[in-house]
Amino acid sequence: MSVSTSLAPDWLLPPSDANALADGVWPASARRDDDGVLRIAGVSASQLRDEFGTPLYVVDEEEVRTHARRTLAAFRAAAELHGVQARVYYAGKAFLCSEVVRWVADEGLAVDVCTGGELAVALAAGADPARLGFHGNNKSVAELESAVAVGIGSLVIDSWVELDRLAAVAERAGATQAVLVRVNSGVHAETHDFLATAHEDQKFGFTLSEAPAVVARIRECAGLEFVGLHCHIGSQIFGTAGFQESAARLVELHADLLAGGDIPVLNLGGGFGIAYTSVDDPTPIEALATGIVEAVVRECAARGIPVPNLAFEPGRAIVGQAGVTLYEVGTTKPVEVDGGGQRLYVSVDGGMSDNARPALYGADFSTRIASRVSTENPVLVRVVGKHCESGDIVVDADYLPADVVPGDLLAVPATGAYCFSLASNYNYVPRPPVVAVRDGSARVIVRGVSIDDLLAHDAGLDRGRVAPSDRLERTEGAE
């Protein structure tokens, strides 16, 4: 066993070709040109670096649109087989900007937002308020007022406090607001604890036993219309078992609540996983749609109740694979590891400020040199950022050609979801712009945050401030 191999995680095997782009991890348009340079939607990675700099978020527009169309078609087809309708909301928290709102709306998706800021972006992009859903465990009165005022399609109630707030807001506005109740089904998805959202010891929603009282209270409120239950069991989930079990529990509750009136919708959330590495094997969206819808149909048939219309909220599954982040290598450093091994650290010009997922919950990513190909043997590397944190890791483990050097351009795929959304300016590192690529052209869809922008937010640098030396002299003179 080689030194590098001995330090690699069990799932990671040395590639036969460290230049190859794994299918299903990269955008479908990703390929190398005759010079070995990575191209995405026909645009050269080297050209992108020259024009926009690094780090740089790159999003393949057609990839987003393709996933949106495919997902909507899959759930609609599965639902229509049983005589019901399916609505697909794009979960904006994955990555939201005006262009993405327009792309998914063009492809027939509704949009899910969870803060006043996300609502503002969706509305500014021209989204139909009636096709928006509003989530969140702590919606302020101002956010609720804004949502009701614009005629938002639905609000997902997350607590007793919010129920009372919304009832009062609707009454003041003279409006009737459609609402769903978020329920924790108790199904714990096979994922990181911070990504699993249906177990009871967490901040979202009501327990199954609480839900009937919540629904009864909603039905007493003249300004609220109860339209359905909502559940979300987690994120980055492969397979349908967890979704099917959660659906069974939700349908049982749904059936019990029918005694109080019609319930037109059952929203089963999202959380569908994507491939971040070559060993990830996500369930095709068609299989997910068929498996989940058929589970609902079976459970309804067993209870002798009609199948409700269904709703789903994928985010990562729409934009994740469409994103690639480009970095420039700054330094490389072989580090001796206890036990005699050696790991090659490759430092890039970004890090946890543009991709917090590895630091937050140990997310795995992969990487390739994007500016050339190499005939050198692969070596195990850890790609790290430039921040003052030992946990500032971009790619914990992958193989790159042994001749990776400063100045090389690295590409990290599957960064379309939760990278831009979680970005920060830690250590005053400027936030990268987002560039959309399509048909051989590139354009900025979100401007980056520069150092000048950061300084402009520092009120202590406003003109006319008293300098520290002046303040000291004035103080001494007063004494």
Side-chain angles (χ1 to χ4, degrees):
M1 178 181 292
S2 71
V3 170
S4 292
T5 302
S6 68
L7 294 174
D10 292 340
W11 57 266
L12 180 63
L13 300 176
S16 57
D17 180 3
N19 303 294
L21 308 177
D23 291 338
V25 179
W26 298 79
S29 68
R31 54 184 47 85
R32 294 189 183 276
D33 63 21
D34 293 341
D35 295 324
V37 176
L38 175 69
R39 285 184 175 269
I40 306 168
V43 183
S44 157
S46 297
Q47 173 189 334
L48 290 168
R49 171 173 57 180
D50 292 345
E51 186 171 353
F52 304 106
T54 57
L56 182 67
Y57 296 118
V58 182
V59 178
D60 184 331
E61 177 182 344
E62 187 54 38
E63 186 85 7
V64 174
R65 290 178 176 273
T66 297
H67 284 287
R69 285 194 298 269
R70 181 180 171 186
T71 301
L72 181 60
F75 281 104
R76 276 185 173 172
E80 287 171 358
L81 282 176
H82 303 282
V84 296
Q85 297 178 347
R87 172 172 283 193
V88 175
Y89 290 82
Y90 169 65
K93 62 183 180 178
F95 168 43
L96 196 69
C97 70
S98 60
E99 282 291 88
V100 169
V101 171
R102 295 181 186 117
W103 298 347
V104 298
D106 284 349
E107 303 303 336
L109 272 59
V111 178
D112 160 37
V113 299
C114 59
T115 66
E118 289 186 351
L119 174 61
V121 171
L123 294 174
D128 179 358
R131 291 178 56 79
L132 299 179
F134 200 153
H135 274 280
N137 67 298
N138 185 25
K139 306 179 194 73
S140 68
V141 171
E143 287 174 325
L144 295 173
E145 288 174 339
S146 295
V148 171
V150 300
I152 200 161
S154 62
L155 276 153
V156 182
I157 292 180
D158 201 271
S159 68
W160 284 104
V161 171
E162 183 174 275
L163 196 167
D164 291 339
R165 282 178 182 169
L166 181 57
V169 167
E171 182 179 3
R172 289 196 299 271
T176 300
Q177 177 61 56
V179 300
L180 294 93
V181 172
R182 179 154 180 169
V183 179
N184 300 326
S185 66
V187 175
H188 191 120
E190 59 280 1
T191 186
H192 190 285
D193 283 348
F194 291 170
L195 302 179
T197 55
H199 55 92
E200 294 180 355
D201 187 13
Q202 47 90 23
K203 71 178 186 176
F204 294 109
F206 300 91
T207 63
L208 287 165
S209 60
E210 288 179 296
V214 177
V215 173
R217 171 72 179 112
I218 292 170
R219 284 171 164 163
E220 293 172 354
C221 297
L224 302 182
E225 178 189 6
F226 174 63
V227 297
L229 299 172
H230 177 280
C231 183
H232 181 72
I233 65 171
S235 298
Q236 186 55 9
I237 302 168
F238 295 170
T240 62
F243 294 110
Q244 291 185 27
E245 176 60 26
S246 183
R249 300 183 189 188
L250 264 291
V251 169
E252 183 173 2
L253 175 59
H254 174 95
D256 291 342
L257 295 172
L258 283 172
D262 185 38
I263 310 173
V265 177
L266 181 62
N267 188 322
L268 294 170
F272 315 132
I274 67 169
Y276 286 96
T277 71
S278 60
V279 299
D280 289 335
D281 186 22
T283 309
I285 196 66
E286 293 80 7
L288 283 169
T290 298
I292 298 170
V293 172
E294 288 185 349
V296 173
V297 171
R298 283 195 307 271
E299 297 299 330
C300 288
R303 293 164 177 79
I305 62 173
V307 180
N309 291 324
L310 301 172
F312 302 90
E313 298 168 349
R316 181 197 320 259
I318 304 296
V319 297
Q321 191 179 336
V324 176
T325 305
L326 299 178
Y327 302 97
E328 185 169 295
V329 176
T331 65
T332 61
K333 181 193 298 183
V335 174
E336 299 296 326
V337 180
D338 290 344
Q342 187 182 87
R343 190 192 311 277
L344 181 63
Y345 277 76
V346 178
S347 295
V348 296
D349 52 354
M352 64 191 299
S353 60
D354 57 73
N355 188 350
R357 296 187 68 250
L360 275 179
Y361 29 72
D364 287 312
F365 285 87
S366 51
T367 187
R368 288 292 181 264
I369 294 177
S371 48
R372 63 184 176 90
V373 293
S374 171
T375 58
E376 293 294 314
N377 290 329
V379 295
L380 183 70
V381 302
R382 175 169 289 167
V383 180
V384 295
K386 62 184 297 175
H387 299 284
C388 293
E389 300 284 343
S390 58
D392 178 25
I393 296 170
V394 179
V395 180
D396 183 65
D398 201 356
Y399 287 92
L400 287 175
D403 61 350
V404 58
V405 292
D408 276 336
L409 186 61
L410 289 193
V412 176
T415 57
Y418 300 107
C419 291
F420 171 85
S421 299
L422 292 169
S424 73
N425 290 113
Y426 181 44
N427 287 149
Y428 269 67
V429 173
R431 243 180 294 186
V434 184
V435 170
V437 291
R438 189 180 190 186
D439 297 333
S441 64
R443 69 187 192 282
V444 173
I445 60 172
V446 181
R447 285 185 286 272
V449 176
S450 68
I451 289 178
D452 285 344
D453 294 330
L454 295 175
L455 293 177
H457 282 87
D458 189 332
L461 298 178
D462 291 346
R463 288 186 177 182
R465 70 185 178 97
V466 178
S469 57
D470 293 339
R471 186 180 299 113
L472 179 60
E473 290 173 1
R474 293 182 187 183
T475 301
E476 288 174 343
E479 291 176 349

